[in-house]
């Protein structure tokens, strides 16, 4: 069955202005002054709602006093958007399962959620298992988050969408002393654990390590000279561009700036960077002698623009 994607505001083939999306919602000075640092995860999807593909933003927020998530659907004609917010804390139990509805340009959109048994991994604001959040329009589940899909379809009494929504980019603000972790899905296989660790104080020269699924793929020595850079790593034999800028870790007052990391799936523009010199190349072998599919290689600055990007804002705290 062919399905025409009627899009007026944005085309699926249009490249999103990713460079314009790396700003932080809260100024650095405000973050430093705010004792209750707020961790946030922002996910932007494209979903078919009321016959048009629209941006749907899901924002998870958590601090010492509050834990909430909100859903925003962009209008096609203007910068206006339609949204609803659900507070999970301090209203502990009864707000963890619920239903809300709102209108998007005259069309009713319903939000169903069940987070009563949700697991939140390392304490971040976004759940990682045993939950669902479903967005319903015209009796179709146009966006479904979480792993309890059967429960979601049963409760909403709605059919799956003809074409699934897809994730455009994810942006996360993480607060820690030296180790920053997140999760991301770069292909259809599985989510990957990403950890950025740093040593920026003490008598030794500053260093930084970036690991995926427990394997260190990037090790940057003399970070004071290499605080900006990019490198290509291969995860399950798929190239992943990694870019970083940690200037503020080294040259700003504590809490006044963040490190920025961008993870962009896709091959480098020049394949010779992978097939050429072995400088900086490191295969990781399993116990049986076969390659694990994770290794690091030098990267060219010119890379392709993928459909998905992960932005990690790493805020150091004392």
């Amino acid at each position: 069955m062919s399905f025409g994607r009627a899009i007026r505001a944005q085309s699926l083939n249009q490249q999103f202005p990713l460079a314009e999306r790396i700003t932080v919602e809260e100024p650095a000075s405000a973050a430093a002054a705010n004792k209750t640092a707020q961790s946030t995860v922002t996910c932007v999807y494209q979903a078919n709602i009321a016959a048009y593909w629209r941006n749907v933003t899901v924002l998870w927020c958590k601090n010492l006093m509050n834990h909430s998530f909100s859903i925003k659907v962009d209008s096609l004609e203007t910068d206006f958007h339609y949204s609803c917010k659900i507070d999970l804390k301090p209203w502990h139990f009864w707000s963890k399962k619920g239903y809300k509805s709102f209108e998007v340009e005259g069309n009713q959109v319903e939000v169903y959620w069940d987070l009563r048994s949700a697991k939140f991994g390392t304490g971040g604001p976004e759940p990682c298992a045993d939950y669902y959040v479903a967005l319903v329009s015209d009796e179709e589940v146009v966006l479904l988050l979480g792993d309890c899909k059967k429960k979601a379809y049963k409760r909403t009494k709605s059919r799956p969408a003809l074409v699934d929504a897809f994730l455009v980019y994810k942006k996360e603000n993480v607060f820690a002393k030296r180790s920053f972790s997140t999760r991301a899905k770069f292909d259809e296989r599985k989510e990957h654990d990403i950890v950025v660790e740093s040593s920026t104080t003490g008598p030794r020269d500053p260093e930084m390590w970036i690991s995926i699924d427990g394997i260190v793929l990037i090790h940057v020595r003399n970070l004071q000279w290499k605080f900006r850079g990019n490198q290509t790593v291969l995860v399950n034999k798929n190239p992943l561009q990694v870019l970083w800028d940690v200037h503020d870790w080294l040259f700003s007052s504590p809490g006044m700036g963040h490190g920025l990391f961008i993870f962009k799936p896709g091959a480098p523009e020049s394949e010779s960077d992978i097939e050429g010199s072995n400088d900086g190349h490191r295969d990781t072998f399993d116990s049986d002698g076969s390659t694990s599919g994770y290794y690091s290689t030098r990267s060219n600055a010119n890379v392709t623009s993928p459909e998905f990007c992960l932005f990690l804002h790493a805020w150091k705290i004392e």
Side-chain angles (χ1 to χ4, degrees):
M1 176 185 297
S2 62
F3 184 80
R5 298 184 176 183
I7 307 173
R8 287 183 291 179
Q10 287 190 348
S11 167
L12 293 183
N13 296 322
Q14 176 183 346
Q15 293 183 354
F16 287 82
L18 297 174
E20 299 175 7
R21 300 188 185 276
I22 61 176
T23 56
V24 181
E25 293 87 347
E26 185 179 40
S29 58
N34 187 359
K35 300 282 187 180
T36 59
Q38 178 164 270
S39 298
T40 65
V41 175
T42 304
C43 297
V44 175
Y45 300 85
Q46 279 257 313
N48 192 276
I49 299 175
Y52 292 98
W53 286 87
R54 306 167 188 264
N55 283 349
V56 178
T57 303
V58 180
L59 173 63
W60 301 87
C61 300
K62 185 179 182 181
N63 56 36
L64 292 177
M65 301 299 295
N66 191 33
H67 189 184
S68 66
F69 77 91
S70 61
I71 296 180
K72 179 181 73 175
V73 180
D74 286 356
S75 169
L76 293 177
E77 302 293 346
T78 66
D79 292 335
F80 184 77
H81 58 264
Y82 310 86
S83 63
C84 71
K85 181 181 178 182
I86 294 94
D87 289 307
L88 306 176
K89 180 183 176 183
W91 313 111
H92 294 285
F93 182 78
W94 52 87
S95 64
K96 292 187 177 180
K97 180 180 180 181
Y99 158 87
K100 279 190 176 183
S101 66
F102 58 99
E103 284 195 355
V104 174
E105 296 174 352
N107 300 275
Q108 181 167 314
V109 175
E110 301 161 328
V111 182
Y112 297 83
W113 69 92
D114 188 348
L115 298 150
R116 293 173 297 175
S117 303
K119 295 181 176 62
F120 288 88
T122 57
E126 181 187 29
C128 60
D130 298 335
Y131 79 102
Y132 68 79
V133 176
L135 193 67
V136 178
S137 174
D138 294 330
E139 299 183 346
E140 284 189 353
V141 179
V142 295
L143 177 63
L144 180 55
L145 310 179
D147 53 349
C148 298
K149 299 184 184 300
K150 290 184 179 179
K151 292 182 179 179
Y153 287 121
K154 181 178 179 180
R155 184 176 173 211
T156 61
K157 299 179 181 178
S158 300
R159 62 184 180 274
L162 291 176
V163 182
D164 291 335
F166 60 92
L167 182 60
V168 177
Y169 76 89
K170 177 179 180 180
K171 180 170 65 176
E172 185 164 0
N173 285 282
V174 179
F175 294 80
K177 291 185 178 181
R178 68 182 303 270
S179 181
F180 307 86
S181 60
T182 184
R183 293 174 62 86
K185 197 172 185 179
F186 299 121
D187 52 37
E188 296 301 320
R189 296 182 182 180
K190 68 167 189 173
E191 276 197 325
H192 297 280
D193 294 307
I194 301 169
V195 179
V196 177
E197 295 183 279
S198 65
S199 175
T200 56
T201 59
R204 301 182 60 180
D205 288 336
E207 296 179 85
M208 181 179 70
W209 301 263
I210 301 176
S211 63
I212 297 180
D213 296 334
I215 301 172
V216 176
L217 299 182
I218 296 176
H219 181 194
V220 183
R221 298 180 176 89
N222 303 118
L223 195 59
Q224 72 274 28
W225 306 112
K226 303 174 183 178
F227 50 83
R228 294 189 184 101
N230 68 291
Q231 196 167 322
T232 301
V233 299
L234 297 185
V235 178
N236 291 330
K237 299 183 180 179
N238 294 317
L240 175 70
Q241 306 295 318
V242 182
L243 302 92
W244 66 87
D245 182 348
V246 295
H247 174 275
D248 289 347
W249 280 2
L250 302 166
F251 304 110
S252 296
S253 301
M256 295 300 292
H258 63 279
L260 172 63
F261 300 85
I262 304 176
F263 299 83
K264 299 169 45 170
E269 187 172 277
S270 173
E271 293 297 334
S272 62
D273 294 308
I274 293 180
E275 299 173 356
S277 171
N278 285 330
D279 287 345
H281 185 283
R282 175 171 48 82
D283 273 326
T284 303
F285 290 87
D286 293 333
S287 57
D288 62 359
S290 63
T291 59
S292 66
Y294 297 76
Y295 61 85
S296 173
T297 179
R298 298 298 178 189
S299 167
N300 192 304
N302 297 320
V303 297
T304 58
S305 296
E307 291 184 356
F308 168 76
C309 269
L310 167 66
F311 298 92
L312 175 63
H313 299 261
W315 296 83
K316 277 186 173 288
I317 57 176
E318 293 298 317

